[in-house]
Amino acid sequence: MIKHPLLVELAQTADKFVKIRHDIHQHPELGYEEFRTSDLVAKNLEAWGYTVTRGLGGTGVVGQIKKGNGNRTLGLRADMDALPLSEVTGLPYASKHDGKMHACGHDGHTTMLLAAAEYLALKADFNGTLNLIFQPAEEGLAGAKRMIDEGLFDKFPCDAIFGIHNMPGYKPGQLCFNEQALMASGDRIDVTLHGNGGHGAMPHLACDPVVAGASIIMGLQTIVSRNIDPLKTGVITVGAFNSGHTDNVIPDTAVLKLNIRSLDPDSHATLISRIQEMVNHQAAAYGVTASFDFVTHYPVLMNDAQQTQFAYKVAQELIGEENTLTDIKPLTTSEDFAFLLEEVPGCYLFIGNGNEATGGHGACSIHNPNYDFDDSNIPIGAAYWVLLTQRFLV
């Protein structure tokens, strides 16, 4: 690893921020419940001289600082929420709350941005306005969209916005980029089939939603193979099929819970349209009807090419070309930073959190009860945010 002066300086305060990360890790909070975490963030930002705004998105925190007379504005975002998992790492700083765990590394994301925030306020020179966005409820609750709806970019305009997520599978400290679609859209749809229940011994007197549901589940799996361009990506998963309570009663209803992913708007539109067509027609063929509850939608996370190229050059300057990756494969998981990128051009990138060669808790998958953020990433991520800010606000 190249020893850029920023890396050397921020390594000197790393222990302080590792302790902060471990404290956040021990006290995980689920989406829109990040009261302790947002208090910690706000208290530190205020101590370093930021103007702090609280309440956007419920528990969101925005710290703003201006230097010089420049009119450019920059946004940096970190997410704060944990997952409803019980930790099994056995670490001395493991979660103190059963059923809640930082299994996605948001404790690390928050800490990297806090470490950068201190340096940017007290030591760094730049010319313009910096908005540090500490976002709640990324995990399926669209905290980014709520912050936008409550006036995030009206109150804190940004010429560009950037975010980092740790990623197992890459070496710790590697910075990884893709200047197009990086993460898939994500939709949750609940389908309810309405039939006519009856005695299991007299099925001819009923309209069975279970049989209709079974046929629909199999039919849905043909949509990707027959309606989506083979060179594009689509996923339809039926994660739950709930109906009935016993063996000799045909129920009135059945519920299918669908999860849909795609990496481009055209494929997304095709998937949603064909799902509705297939469900309705298959249901009608079995004498039942269908209703749809569109629970959530996360758009495709589409990076801006120009801002991604800029972000990549900053990474090269900081850690060298050998530690940066371009054109990494997109993921079919989703991320609500996509909502921010629909409003403002920017880039979302990954920082490696470990692989088979490095081992450790950071090498296993995120959303895993054995997972832990790699603390060696804290000074690297912080130094990256500092250098990116200095290069953008010139």
Side-chain angles (χ1 to χ4, degrees), residues 59-368:
T59 47
V61 180
V62 180
Q64 185 180 80
I65 191 167
K66 301 178 181 180
K67 292 189 177 184
N69 58 3
N71 58 12
R72 298 195 82 191
T73 58
L74 172 65
L76 304 178
R77 174 270 209 172
D79 38 17
M80 301 186 293
D81 55 324
L83 283 161
L85 287 178
S86 293
E87 184 166 355
V88 298
T89 62
L91 293 165
Y93 52 86
S95 171
K96 292 184 175 182
H97 305 285
D98 189 44
K100 298 179 184 180
M101 176 192 175
H102 272 292
C104 201
H106 297 183
D107 52 340
H109 304 163
T110 295
T111 305
M112 288 191 298
L113 192 53
L114 280 175
E118 181 186 50
Y119 189 95
L120 284 161
L122 303 182
K123 295 184 178 181
D125 290 324
F126 59 86
N127 189 27
T129 301
L130 175 64
N131 299 312
L132 303 184
I133 301 162
F134 292 85
Q135 180 209 305
E138 187 280 324
E139 296 290 355
L141 296 174
K145 186 175 188 303
R146 180 172 168 183
M147 291 188 82
I148 293 168
D149 291 344
E150 294 181 8
L152 174 64
F153 291 126
D154 297 324
K155 298 174 182 178
F156 304 99
C158 297
D159 293 321
I161 190 163
F162 298 85
I164 290 178
H165 201 295
N166 77 98
M167 189 54 59
Y170 300 100
K171 294 178 183 179
Q174 282 188 317
L175 294 173
C176 313
F177 299 83
N178 183 315
E179 65 179 40
Q180 298 180 20
L182 180 63
M183 301 181 76
S185 63
D187 293 83
R188 293 170 54 200
I189 304 175
D190 290 350
V191 177
T192 302
L193 302 174
H194 307 273
N196 182 26
H199 198 296
M202 295 178 283
H204 60 295
L205 300 179
C207 292
D208 192 342
V210 175
V211 174
S215 178
I216 287 169
I217 289 171
M218 297 305 295
L220 289 173
Q221 299 311 310
T222 68
I223 293 175
V224 172
S225 65
R226 288 296 173 267
N227 299 123
I228 298 298
D229 184 334
L231 299 179
K232 296 183 178 180
T233 297
V235 178
I236 300 174
T237 295
V238 182
F241 182 12
N242 301 321
S243 185
H245 301 284
T246 189
D247 64 296
N248 64 344
V249 176
I250 295 172
D252 285 322
T253 61
V255 177
L256 311 180
K257 293 184 177 292
L258 278 60
N259 189 278
I260 300 98
R261 310 281 174 156
S262 61
L263 283 167
D264 68 276
D266 289 342
S267 295
H268 175 263
T270 298
L271 289 170
I272 300 302
S273 174
R274 288 293 294 133
I275 286 169
Q276 293 177 85
E277 291 172 356
M278 180 166 287
V279 168
N280 283 324
H281 285 92
Q282 289 266 32
Y286 287 92
V288 305
T289 60
S291 60
F292 299 83
D293 179 14
F294 294 85
V295 182
T296 59
H297 167 65
Y298 276 29
V300 176
L301 192 154
M302 187 68 69
N303 280 328
D304 177 82
Q306 181 178 350
Q307 298 302 337
T308 303
Q309 291 166 10
F310 162 74
Y312 174 67
K313 290 178 181 177
V314 172
Q316 282 186 309
E317 181 182 350
L318 180 70
I319 58 175
E321 186 174 359
E322 67 278 12
N323 295 306
T324 55
L325 300 174
T326 58
D327 297 326
I328 61 170
K329 292 182 179 179
L331 301 179
T332 50
T333 51
S334 300
E335 158 64 56
D336 77 349
F337 193 82
F339 289 109
L340 302 173
L341 289 175
E342 285 191 325
E343 303 293 324
V344 176
C347 173
Y348 197 63
L349 60 136
F350 296 149
I351 186 168
N353 202 65
N355 53 26
E356 291 181 3
T358 60
H361 293 290
C364 76
S365 171
I366 54 176
H367 292 224
N368 183 309

